[in-house]
Amino acid sequence: MGYSSRLLMSPDTIKRIGILTGGGDCPGLNAVIRAVAKTAMLQFRMEVFGIEDGFQGLIENRVRPLSFRDVSGILTRGGTILGSNNRCNPQRYCTSQLADGTPVFSDVTATCLQTIRGHKLDAVIVIGGDGTMCCAAPLVEAGVNVIGIPKTIDNDLFGTEITFGFLTAVATATEALDRLHSTADSHHRVMVCEVMGRNAGWIALTAGVASGSDMILIPEIPFDEDAIGEYITQRMEGGPGFAIVVVAEGARRAGGSQVIARIDPTSADPVRLGGIGQRVADAIGTRTNVEVRTTVLGHVLRGGMPIAADRILATNFGYHAISILMEGASGRLVVRENNVFSDVDLLVSAGRQRLVPTNHALITAARAVGTSFGDRATLARGASGTSSVV
Ligand code: F6P
């Protein structure tokens, strides 16, 4: 395999590695930690160190040795035994605040390098999404041997067709949507369900199709509130008399902007989306005579045990990360493409998001069974006769 970046040392001399989990947590993090650590310990007799709370641990020199026991029995456990952090970017680290509250940022990359050298880490396995890979990029540029592993429920990391955590989030959202179905049916209501995903609609699209939701609103297809109202009216009057609408938190109406829940000025990625579900519910309420209720799944999607598919994916990613490191790779992100595990340049993936293509096969299939994307395409074919309920 030809790596664009090579280790600056012989793979045989890699004896101590660090593992770090960065960004928002997700199901499967512990499964990856286990796979990385066990492969490193059992196959290569390495010493493995856990870096606590993502890059915060590198800045504050919080690094602890991991024993085989520490990483046993954690395959199914939610969260991360190492802790995580989605507010800390060493290149833009909030070191203080002015009297008026304005944050003061500094580049503390040198402190991270000092921690890595202090613990004599020959390589660092960085588990995270696009923000975490951005944070790892300066370490790669400074000559640290870094291997990235793609994590996020949002499934939006550039360079891989799937990130671990996504399938569990989809399963959780699907179960919630199934439950909303029965109560929507009983009360002849419209149930709007907002799901996470940042600027990408992968969770909404996939869970929406899996649950047979009637309408799926994703950031990649800006919606038309009047078209939504007309579709819902058709379904209520001529169809089954209830509707399920799944809304990605990053969705927006055509010509409008995303709804921001809060801004954290001290965070490297300060925008937190949220609130579009209620906006959509209000838009439906003012255009129809239907009772509408809103559910926001939020962090429920990030919690709990990984499903079997994520445990398998996490184990493959973890094993693959150590394998390519020991083949001489550095500065690479392990990925899956066309169902095959490989790796890409971490610097190319860092900070880049993979959105849903508007011609994605799942969108085509959903439209074919009458699912609306809040535009006029499905309306033209009529919503009343076609129930997309599975
Ligand atoms: O990236 C994962 C994610 O859960 C997004 O879907 C969501 O927008 C964001 O993190 C929420 O972040 P926080 O945990 O800071 O509220």
Side-chain angles (χ1 to χ4, degrees):
M1 215 178 285
Y3 299 111
S4 62
S5 295
R6 300 287 311 180
L7 282 174
L8 300 174
M9 57 207 294
S10 157
D12 303 340
T13 60
I14 296 198
K15 298 291 177 211
R16 294 160 69 95
I17 62 163
I19 309 177
L20 165 164
T21 53
D25 70 342
C26 78
L29 278 166
N30 284 325
V32 174
I33 294 169
R34 167 186 178 269
V36 168
K38 285 195 170 181
T39 306
M41 291 172 188
L42 291 175
Q43 303 306 318
F44 300 101
R45 300 193 170 280
M46 289 181 201
E47 284 180 84
V48 180
F49 294 80
I51 299 162
E52 295 176 351
D53 297 335
F55 283 88
Q56 194 78 39
L58 278 185
I59 295 166
E60 295 172 355
N61 192 17
R62 287 191 280 118
V63 179
R64 64 172 199 259
L66 292 178
S67 67
F68 197 80
R69 214 190 161 111
D70 289 330
V71 296
S72 297
I74 62 170
L75 173 69
T76 61
R77 205 191 296 174
T80 158
I81 58 165
L82 299 177
S84 195
N85 186 319
N86 65 356
R87 304 174 75 236
C88 160
N89 177 350
Q91 273 195 300
R92 196 167 176 274
Y93 185 64
C94 178
T95 42
S96 58
Q97 292 192 340
L98 300 179
D100 66 358
T102 310
V104 178
F105 295 99
S106 312
D107 184 343
V108 295
T109 303
T111 311
C112 296
L113 294 172
Q114 220 176 336
T115 303
I116 292 168
R117 287 186 197 121
H119 291 274
K120 297 187 170 55
L121 300 180
D122 302 315
V124 180
I125 309 298
V126 174
I127 307 168
D130 66 302
T132 304
M133 295 311 147
C134 258
C135 296
L139 302 184
V140 175
E141 281 155 356
V144 178
N145 298 314
V146 175
I147 301 291
I149 298 182
K151 165 242 66 160
T152 166
I153 61 163
D154 304 335
N155 200 32
D156 64 348
L157 185 59
F158 184 83
T160 183
E161 67 188 1
I162 194 147
T163 55
F164 74 86
F166 168 66
L167 292 172
T168 304
V170 167
T172 305
T174 303
E175 190 196 336
L177 289 162
D178 289 347
R179 289 173 187 275
L180 291 174
H181 243 117
S182 58
T183 175
D185 194 0
S186 310
H187 287 267
H188 318 296
R189 283 174 173 161
V190 175
M191 304 302 273
V192 176
C193 180
E194 179 181 310
V195 297
M196 282 186 166
R198 270 200 316 176
N199 302 315
W202 292 109
I203 298 175
L205 172 63
T206 313
V209 170
S211 61
S213 292
D214 305 292
M215 182 175 289
I216 301 171
L217 304 180
I218 59 174
E220 295 84 350
I221 305 178
F223 57 81
D224 171 341
E225 290 176 340
D226 292 328
I228 291 177
E230 287 169 43
Y231 180 91
I232 296 293
T233 302
Q234 283 180 29
R235 247 192 86 84
M236 297 307 289
E237 288 174 358
F242 71 92
I244 306 294
V245 180
V246 54
V247 188
E249 64 179 0
R252 62 184 171 87
R253 68 179 172 79
S257 35
Q258 290 177 319
V259 181
I260 294 172
R262 80 188 72 85
I263 302 249
D264 178 354
T266 64
S267 169
D269 182 10
V271 175
R272 293 292 179 275
L273 298 170
I276 186 64
Q278 191 53 49
R279 299 274 180 101
V280 169
D282 293 344
I284 294 171
T286 55
R287 285 168 178 77
T288 66
N289 289 323
V290 186
E291 260 194 296
V292 191
R293 296 288 186 269
T294 309
T295 301
V296 180
L297 293 183
H299 294 82
V300 168
L301 299 180
R302 295 227 306 249
M305 281 184 159
I307 61 168
D310 264 333
R311 298 178 199 179
I312 294 165
L313 187 59
T315 302
N316 269 314
F317 274 149
Y319 154 72
H320 197 74
I322 294 300
S323 295
I324 65 168
L325 177 71
M326 297 314 282
E327 284 168 10
S330 178
R332 306 293 290 180
L333 173 74
V334 298
V335 298
R336 203 187 75 186
E337 206 53 51
N338 299 322
N339 241 354
V340 173
F341 291 92
S342 62
D343 48 271
V344 297
D345 188 340
L346 185 145
L347 297 179
V348 171
S349 269
R352 289 176 76 180
Q353 292 176 13
R354 188 179 72 98
L355 303 181
V356 179
T358 52
N359 63 352
H360 194 278
L362 205 48
I363 295 180
T364 310
R367 286 198 195 276
V369 297
T371 308
S372 168
F373 283 83
D375 53 6
R376 298 216 157 255
T378 311
L379 198 60
R381 279 182 239 119
S384 55
T386 321
S387 168
S388 60
V389 181
V390 286

